[in-house]
Each structure stands twice: as C-alpha cells, then as structure tokens.
Amino acid sequence: RMPSCLLKLTRVVLSHKPRALFILIFMFVSFAYIKFYWRIWEDPKSRGHPSSLSADIGCAHSVPSSHGIAGGPSPSPGNVFFVETSEQTNPSYLFSCSVESAARTHPGSRVVVLMKGLAKGNASLPKHWAFSLLRCFPNVQIRPLDLTELFSGTPLAQWYLQPQRHQEPYFLPVLSDACRIVLMWKFGGIYLDTDFIVLKNLQNLTNALGIQDEDELNGAFLSFKPKHEFIELCMQDFVQNYNGWVWGHQGPELLTRVFKKWCSLRTIKSMSCKGVSALAPEAVYPIPWQDWKRLFEAVGALELQQLLKNTYAVHIWNKLSHGTKLEIPSQALLAQLYSQFCPATYAKMKQD
C-alpha cells in the first residue's frame, strides 16, 4: 500500500498548480522502483549467477565413512591420484565430480589431488566452492604438485629439466602423461584423469589399464603396484622414443607400444598377460570418444543400467565435450551420472 504521507501529499499537490503534478508522478515512480529493486535482492532465486554465490559450502551432504560402502566390504587402503599440471586453481564441475565420486566409492583410501598451481608450503587453499565442497570428505587431500621432486630419481628427471620441452605445443598433456606413470612407479595405487565419474570401487583392478578402442590403450585410468616392471618400461620408452610434437605419442601410443612388446602382440585385445590386464572398453571407456555426444542424450533407467552393467567408471572425454551445454536437471546420461555419483556437486550445479 502507498504510505499515508504520500496520500496527504497528493491532496496538497492537487490543490496547487498543475506543475506540481509532475513532482508527484516522479516521486511515485521513484518509490515503485525502490520497492522493485529491493524485492529482487531479497529473493534468493533472483541471484542465480554463480559469481554471486559464496565460495563457502557447508558439509550437510552425505560423506562416506571408512566402514565400506553398500554392496561390499571395506576396501584395502591405497591412494587414488588426480593431477592438474596447469596453473589453474578454479576446478570445474566435472573436476569436482571426479574427485567426489572417487571419494565416495573409495572411503577407505586416500584420494590425493595434486595441483601445480598451489603454492608449496601454503596450508590454505584458494577460495573456491569446489575446495569448500571437497574438504568435507575426510579422505580427500589436496596438495601442491612439485614436479622436480616428483621426477627425481627417475629417467624423466633429466627430460623435465630441458627448457626447450616447455615450448612444445602439447607440453601440458605430455607433462600429465609423465606424471601418471611416475606416480604409479613411485607410489602405486590408482590414477584417474579429472574427467572421470567413478561408479564402483576400483581397488580390485590391480596392474590394469583400459582399452579405449580396437587397437589402442588409454592411460586416463591406471592401476599398478609400485615399482612394477611394466611401468618401468613405460618410463624408459617415454625418454628413448620421445616425440612431444605428436598428439598422444607419449600417452595412449606409448602404453600401446609397451603393452604390445610386453605381450608380443600385433593388435590389442582384452586379456591378461604376464600379470598386466588390458580391460575391455566397457570397464572404464563405455562411451567411445567418437560417440561422446551420447553423454548429452536422454536415456531411460533400464537403458542406463544395461549400458553401465560392467562399468567401473565413465570417461567423459572433456577435451571434446567441455563446450556442450548440459541441461540440469534432465534425463541426459551425463546429468544422471552427476545426480547419482556426485550428488554434492550436482546440488551445486542445480543451485547455480
């Protein structure tokens, strides 16, 4: 309602010169604008832009305990590694989902996120919603990535110290390829790219990597015991057959070369050879990279169940899919994966 003061003012103004009517109209419009302005800012639904949201997130969402997960006993301890070799410290929704889904499916393991952009010796993390969310999981540890220290004592130490390498067109992907095989060699455990959504515990997949298509392995998932001879051969091949100017030469092509020599094969097939397993594509690459758009297509519950029946994790192929709009909520395959396997990240996506 219009305040009584404005009603009194109206009577006074109407009894004087017509010019005063303009003043009344101006005041009324100003009053209406102010009320409209404050209603917008009092309604939280009107403040949906991500930049206006606080970086602090409470830990109200469900956090797994160390007593195992539904459907199986508590897994044996072991590290699950994620690596960010760029200077970026603003994780995406997919990055957050990857770590969250790994933390939920591996409650008895440490999920270690190594980021080159974090300052060494600084205990505090940058203010970002993803760090606030992930700190709610007691098994997640986010640490600086010291590359000189990581590569020390390996054949890759001298390679990394050559300054001309840093000028190569695919240096960041190659650096990531280097980190994962050295982590497996030094510490063992599981390595995952930050564009995976983990569905099941991976600890029973030991000394294994996945087939991405007919004749090529991929290192987006690796699981090995420390100091394994296969990984040692990978480090040697990395240096001896180095070519940083060809995409994938130090990654999928390297792993494929070494596995073929390891097993005396001409073509890759799902098999276990001398203690190393090449997993069928449905294990961790159920959606081939050529069909990445299927991630954004709607699927029914039964179709989803059948598609992921023998799947441990789903690779999202972020290099190809990152620019595609995902409707939240929806029945798109990717949206359903977010909803089921990283519900805290999914809640943040819906909020934004």
Side-chain angles (χ1 to χ4, degrees):
R1 293 181 178 180
M2 185 181 294
S4 59
C5 61
L6 282 181
L7 292 174
K8 293 177 181 178
L9 181 60
T10 302
R11 297 190 189 102
V12 173
V13 169
L14 292 178
S15 65
H16 290 75
K17 297 179 180 180
R19 185 171 53 177
L21 184 60
F22 173 78
I23 299 175
L24 174 63
I25 294 173
F26 175 79
M27 292 180 65
F28 180 80
V29 171
S30 300
F31 173 78
Y33 174 79
I34 291 170
K35 288 294 292 181
F36 177 73
Y37 177 87
W38 281 109
R39 281 185 181 180
I40 287 176
W41 285 99
E42 286 167 1
D43 182 5
K45 292 182 180 180
S46 301
R47 290 185 271 169
H49 196 277
S51 63
S52 68
L53 296 168
S54 171
D56 294 324
I57 292 180
C59 297
H61 54 271
S62 173
V63 178
S65 69
S66 60
H67 301 297
I69 53 178
S74 177
S76 58
N79 291 333
V80 180
F81 291 102
F82 292 93
V83 174
E84 176 55 69
T85 53
S86 75
E87 298 290 340
Q88 292 186 17
T89 55
N90 53 338
S92 65
Y93 296 119
L94 182 53
F95 185 113
S96 175
C97 182
S98 297
V99 179
E100 179 186 347
S101 62
R104 289 182 180 278
T105 51
H106 298 78
S109 304
R110 288 187 300 175
V111 178
V112 182
V113 183
L114 300 171
M115 302 186 73
K116 187 173 180 287
L118 297 181
K120 188 176 181 181
N122 187 353
S124 62
L125 293 171
K127 287 188 70 65
H128 189 278
W129 65 265
F131 295 128
S132 296
L133 186 153
L134 295 174
R135 74 183 178 191
C136 297
F137 293 88
N139 56 335
V140 172
Q141 299 179 8
I142 302 174
R143 301 176 180 174
L145 173 61
D146 187 330
L147 290 166
T148 303
E149 181 181 345
L150 176 63
F151 293 139
S152 66
T154 75
L156 279 73
Q158 194 62 36
W159 162 82
Y160 177 66
L161 294 176
Q162 298 177 27
Q164 69 270 22
R165 301 298 186 205
H166 300 221
Q167 309 303 319
E168 293 170 350
Y170 306 122
F171 178 69
L172 284 181
V174 168
L175 189 57
S176 178
D177 293 329
C179 288
R180 67 192 69 186
I181 59 175
V182 171
L183 284 168
M184 291 296 95
W185 166 252
K186 282 192 168 184
F187 306 107
I190 295 166
Y191 167 84
L192 291 168
D193 275 1
T194 55
D195 57 350
F196 259 111
I197 298 180
V198 186
L199 318 186
K200 302 171 186 174
N201 188 277
L202 298 160
Q203 291 289 1
N204 64 333
L205 302 178
T206 306
N207 301 331
L209 64 172
I211 299 174
Q212 75 170 17
D213 53 33
E214 290 183 0
D215 195 38
E216 193 165 49
L217 296 164
N218 193 310
F221 157 80
L222 296 172
S223 177
F224 280 88
K225 293 182 178 179
K227 305 296 189 292
H228 196 282
E229 184 182 354
F230 179 84
I231 297 298
E232 184 176 11
L233 291 174
C234 288
M235 292 193 298
Q236 293 173 3
D237 186 284
F238 188 99
V239 176
Q240 293 169 3
N241 299 308
Y242 184 79
N243 187 341
W245 294 84
V246 176
W247 173 264
H249 185 81
Q250 303 303 119
E253 292 183 17
L254 180 152
L255 295 168
T256 302
R257 288 193 302 270
V258 174
F259 189 80
K260 285 181 176 180
K261 291 179 183 178
W262 180 264
C263 298
S264 301
L265 294 173
R266 288 191 175 184
T267 58
I268 297 292
K269 58 184 178 180
S270 177
M271 62 180 296
S272 181
C273 175
K274 293 167 36 177
V276 178
S277 298
L279 305 176
E282 59 263 27
V284 288
Y285 306 110
I287 307 296
W289 67 266
Q290 300 92 331
D291 299 333
W292 64 268
K293 291 183 179 179
R294 288 181 62 192
L295 292 161
F296 298 86
E297 297 173 359
V299 295
L302 290 177
E303 184 182 357
L304 179 64
Q305 183 180 5
Q306 187 62 32
L307 176 64
L308 303 178
K309 182 179 179 181
N310 299 313
T311 298
Y312 287 82
V314 180
H315 194 228
I316 307 302
W317 308 107
N318 186 56
K319 181 176 174 57
L320 299 169
S321 65
H322 72 275
T324 306
K325 183 180 180 181
L326 177 64
E327 293 292 340
I328 295 290
S330 73
Q331 291 301 305
L333 170 57
L334 183 52
Q336 293 193 60
L337 293 176
Y338 273 112
S339 174
Q340 293 184 39
F341 300 102
C342 54
T345 301
Y346 182 71
K348 173 64 176 170
M349 294 173 74
K350 288 196 296 183
Q351 178 187 357
D352 289 353

